Amino acid sequence: MTDDARNDPQDAIDSQGERRREELDDRIFEHSAGDEQEGIPFVGAGPGNPRLLTVAGKELLEEADLVVHAGSLVNSELLDEYCAHAELVNSVGKDLEELIPLMRDAYEDGDNVVRLHSGDPAIYGAALEQMDALEHEGVPTHFVPGVTSAFAASATLRTQLTLNEVSNHVAFTRPQGKTLTPEEDHISEFVEMGDVTTCIYLGTHAVRDTMDRLLEDDHDPETPVAVIYHASWPDEDVIVGSIGTIADKVEEAGYRASALVVIGDAVTGAGYERSFLYGDWANRGS
């Protein structure tokens, strides 16, 4: 492989995508999540609190020589606790043309390399394009799941994202903006379904635009909404309101950074019915 080919992540991504259409990777049938595997692990750091890092992630970080991390999206306390011995590289501001050779060369030199994403790399993590580029160059990779911020938010709210007779579905989504066209924004459709807990990954600056669009679509302004700023971080804050009031409350708080927005009756946990998981129904097959 020429140096030019090795340094063109887009060609690698296209090639791996075509290959994926033709056949499934054999490793799908050989390994389960949590298995020890060869290559560079793409580890979910969790939502913020270092205690929410998985055991597998902790073990990999403790053995790492190089950790490429997602900058301020990963709590510095986690880096201090588990990565102090390793070389740390902040991925923010670096493109694939820089990151891929960095990780590839370190791995080929025999270093233990960890790519550390915030939350879970499978949720808005842009991990697969890096993995495809590395795999194309002969560097194996694998996912190590993490706790996504929606789960930390539900724990903070002391409720479930799914509740019997309240919410049968959960939607992870983003609002329209730089990464999503208006046609790709389905938040209003999710809210209209009624029994969906809608979890929006976005900066707090987008809350008003999102709520204004919901009001324009005639959604009930009393629908519960919670904004969990920096879920599980030391400076976590919870703002609870409704479609009609939450924007004012968020702006009054002055937050401009990342937050998780939850829309739906599951926010309060009120009105749910007892489940069928216990009692005679659960034992009917005995």
Side-chain angles (χ1 to χ4, degrees):
M1 184 180 295
T2 67
D3 287 341
D4 286 343
R6 285 169 66 91
N7 291 327
D8 192 341
Q10 187 58 57
D11 283 351
I13 291 167
D14 293 341
S15 175
Q16 290 298 111
E18 198 60 41
R19 189 173 163 190
R20 194 178 288 109
R21 290 188 189 93
E22 296 174 358
E23 59 180 350
L24 291 174
D25 192 315
D26 290 340
R27 290 171 295 181
I28 292 173
F29 309 101
E30 297 169 355
H31 293 287
S32 298
D35 285 354
E36 292 186 8
Q37 298 186 47
E38 181 184 359
I40 296 178
F42 278 63
V43 175
N49 190 317
R51 294 186 65 223
L52 296 179
L53 178 70
T54 65
V55 172
K58 173 180 176 290
E59 291 173 351
L60 289 164
L61 288 175
E62 290 176 339
E63 297 171 356
D65 301 302
L66 170 65
V67 176
V68 179
H69 64 91
S72 62
L73 295 178
V74 175
N75 192 341
S76 60
E77 292 181 9
L78 184 150
L79 298 176
D80 291 341
E81 186 166 350
Y82 300 121
C83 310
H85 60 285
E87 178 186 356
L88 298 177
V89 174
N90 185 345
S91 64
V92 175
K94 296 179 175 61
D95 57 24
L96 292 182
E97 284 73 12
E98 185 174 358
L99 287 174
I100 300 306
L102 171 71
M103 292 188 284
R104 177 200 67 207
D105 292 347
Y107 179 80
E108 291 180 347
D109 286 342
D111 289 341
N112 290 324
V113 181
V114 172
R115 179 64 168 104
L116 186 63
H117 278 252
S118 60
D120 184 298
I123 303 293
Y124 300 119
L128 196 59
E129 60 196 53
Q130 300 169 70
M131 299 171 82
D132 277 351
L134 287 165
E135 294 274 351
H136 188 70
E137 299 188 9
V139 178
T141 62
H142 60 279
F143 281 106
V144 178
V147 177
T148 188
S149 58
F151 299 152
S154 69
T156 289
L157 293 172
R158 307 180 75 84
T159 186
Q160 295 178 203
L161 298 178
T162 59
L163 283 168
N164 192 36
E165 299 299 326
V166 171
S167 175
N168 294 310
H169 315 279
V170 180
F172 292 167
T173 187
R174 277 181 169 176
Q176 57 187 264
K178 291 182 179 179
T179 59
L180 216 64
T181 67
E183 292 74 22
E184 294 169 325
D185 182 339
H186 300 298
I187 293 173
S188 185
E189 296 167 47
F190 295 141
V191 174
E192 184 178 2
M193 292 177 186
D195 64 341
V196 176
T197 302
T198 304
C199 300
I200 308 173
Y201 290 70
L202 78 169
T204 48
H205 66 279
V207 170
R208 181 168 294 281
D209 287 344
T210 301
M211 298 305 139
D212 284 349
R213 285 195 293 272
L214 292 176
L215 292 172
E216 289 171 4
D217 288 343
D218 294 325
H219 291 295
D220 184 356
E222 299 301 317
T223 302
V225 180
V227 173
I228 299 85
Y229 169 78
H230 266 186
S232 85
W233 289 62
D235 60 346
E236 176 190 82
D237 196 9
V238 180
I239 304 171
V240 178
S242 65
I243 288 177
T245 65
I246 196 69
D248 287 340
K249 292 185 176 184
V250 169
E251 289 180 0
E252 183 179 346
Y255 296 129
R256 299 290 295 173
S258 297
L260 196 285
V261 178
V262 184
I263 305 174
D265 289 329
V267 166
T268 64
Y272 71 91
E273 298 290 337
R274 180 173 173 173
S275 74
F276 301 115
L277 297 179
Y278 310 104
D280 293 340
W281 185 90
N283 296 323
R284 63 182 179 175
S286 301

